[in-house]
Amino acid sequence: MNTISKNTKVAIIGLGNIGEAIAVNLTKGNHPVIVAARDFEKAKSLSDKLGNLADAKEITDAIKEADVVIPAIYFDKIKEFLQLYSNELQGKVIVDVSNPIAPDGNGGFKKIINENDSAGKILSELIPSNSRIVKAFGTLGAGSLLSEAFSEPNRKVLFYASDSTNSNNIIEELIASSGFEPFHIGGVDQSIRIEVFGDLHEFGNLGKPVTLDEAKSKIAKS
Ligand SMILES: NC(=O)c1ccc[n+]([C@@H]2O[C@H](COP(=O)([O-])OP(=O)(O)OC[C@H]3O[C@@H](n4cnc5c(N)ncnc54)[C@H](OP(=O)(O)O)[C@@H]3O)[C@@H](O)[C@H]2O)c1
């Protein structure tokens, strides 16, 4: 692992369930975060709650300052976000947390993209050409992301998918700072495995948060 962790500037945009959980975990792990929302007061209120390590900014400023941008918003909104902030997002690592699903009308969820597509792959084609995308932080529900962070004696795994070795180092540090064990499952074309209904998602065949040994055993059998 490299040692850039605390210097990597992370902006979390969108402070709903997942955005707040990621911010809580990173600050608990002593990693500073920039938090931003369409309503600045929402960001300010979260930064007040989290203390000195959380800095509230307007969205444009947050993206400009960050090395890593995490739009913790819904898949369709991320598509709009990538267009709207295409200038500010140049050269950034963009983390896709999204699960491309919507209520199915029967109390469950359905995929809103083709069965064999993934949000990660689709979004990878929409980012600025000099940016990099990593699929991460979306493999557990927000509840588990909070309750399973910093598990003892063994950390639980957060799977991620990425094509770039440089991004891998950065994301591994962020996952570790968040109280989880990073596990690279391959390139962004593997994103489908770690999105809802995938074999490595809590709400797919994985079924629950797993430790590194459990993850390795699961992968070996797949
Ligand atoms: N919840 C989970 O358990 C879970 C687990 C894994 C992955 N995810 C993924 O995480 C993402 C967020 O889910 P969530 O459950 O956190 O949703 P959420 O609680 O509804 O929060 C979504 C947030 O996105 C913000 N937002 C919407 N459009 C925006 C835009 N154009 N620019 C900036 N902010 C915008 C909303 O802010 P406003 O207050 O401005 O409306 C809201 O705070 C989704 O892609 C979801 O698939 C969720």
Side-chain angles (χ1 to χ4, degrees), residues 118-197:
S118 67
K121 191 80 184 70
I122 292 171
L123 295 175
S124 73
E125 283 151 21
L126 302 179
I127 62 169
S129 56
N130 61 355
S131 303
R132 290 161 280 154
I133 195 163
V134 177
K135 179 95 210 174
F137 287 104
T139 54
L140 298 178
S144 297
L145 196 60
L146 282 171
S147 65
E148 302 287 338
F150 304 97
S151 281
E152 293 292 352
N154 299 310
R155 293 276 193 263
K156 298 289 172 39
V157 161
L158 282 187
F159 297 101
Y160 74 96
S162 148
D163 293 331
S164 144
T165 310
N166 289 343
S167 307
N168 292 357
N169 291 338
I170 293 170
I171 209 72
E172 293 215 352
E173 286 289 350
L174 294 180
I175 289 174
S177 290
S178 300
F180 286 90
E181 186 77 45
F183 196 122
H184 184 225
I185 55 133
V188 171
D189 62 354
Q190 298 297 305
S191 296
I192 193 167
R193 300 186 70 186
I194 57 174
E195 294 180 2
V196 164
F197 307 128

Side-chain angles (χ1 to χ4, degrees), residues 1-52:
M1 283 215 186
N2 60 39
T3 52
I4 55 178
S5 169
K6 311 298 181 212
N7 297 327
T8 303
K9 290 195 175 162
V10 185
I12 302 163
I13 319 286
L15 304 173
N17 296 307
I18 280 288
E20 178 163 346
I22 295 170
V24 165
N25 287 345
L26 280 171
T27 53
K28 212 181 263 182
N30 223 19
H31 193 106
V33 291
I34 301 165
V35 289
R38 289 186 289 196
D39 174 5
F40 178 78
E41 285 310 312
K42 194 168 174 180
K44 181 74 177 65
S45 152
L46 181 61
S47 84
D48 288 348
K49 187 169 118 187
L50 297 178
N52 289 343

Side-chain angles (χ1 to χ4, degrees), residues 110-122:
K110 62 176 182 197
K111 230 169 141 165
I112 55 169
I113 56 177
N114 289 334
E115 200 56 32
N116 297 323
D117 275 348
S118 67
K121 191 80 184 70
I122 292 171

Side-chain angles (χ1 to χ4, degrees), residues 13-22 36-39 42 59 71-78 80-81 84-85 96-101 135-145 194 196 201-203:
I13 319 286
L15 304 173
N17 296 307
I18 280 288
E20 178 163 346
I22 295 170
R38 289 186 289 196
D39 174 5
K42 194 168 174 180
I59 294 180
I73 60 185
Y74 280 93
F75 172 67
D76 283 336
K77 302 288 176 192
I78 298 178
E80 293 167 18
F81 176 89
L84 192 59
Y85 297 104
D96 170 31
V97 304
S98 70
N99 286 299
I101 54 170
K135 179 95 210 174
F137 287 104
T139 54
L140 298 178
S144 297
L145 196 60
I194 57 174
V196 164
H201 194 282
E202 182 178 16
F203 305 133

Side-chain angles (χ1 to χ4, degrees), residues 58-116:
E58 297 289 354
I59 294 180
T60 308
D61 295 335
I63 300 172
K64 279 186 190 159
E65 269 196 35
D67 308 302
V68 176
V69 177
I70 309 181
I73 60 185
Y74 280 93
F75 172 67
D76 283 336
K77 302 288 176 192
I78 298 178
K79 290 204 248 177
E80 293 167 18
F81 176 89
L82 294 178
Q83 263 191 337
L84 192 59
Y85 297 104
S86 59
N87 286 336
E88 293 82 357
L89 286 166
Q90 301 283 334
K92 311 288 179 181
V93 174
I94 300 165
V95 177
D96 170 31
V97 304
S98 70
N99 286 299
I101 54 170
D104 64 4
N106 297 312
F109 287 90
K110 62 176 182 197
K111 230 169 141 165
I112 55 169
I113 56 177
N114 289 334
E115 200 56 32
N116 297 323

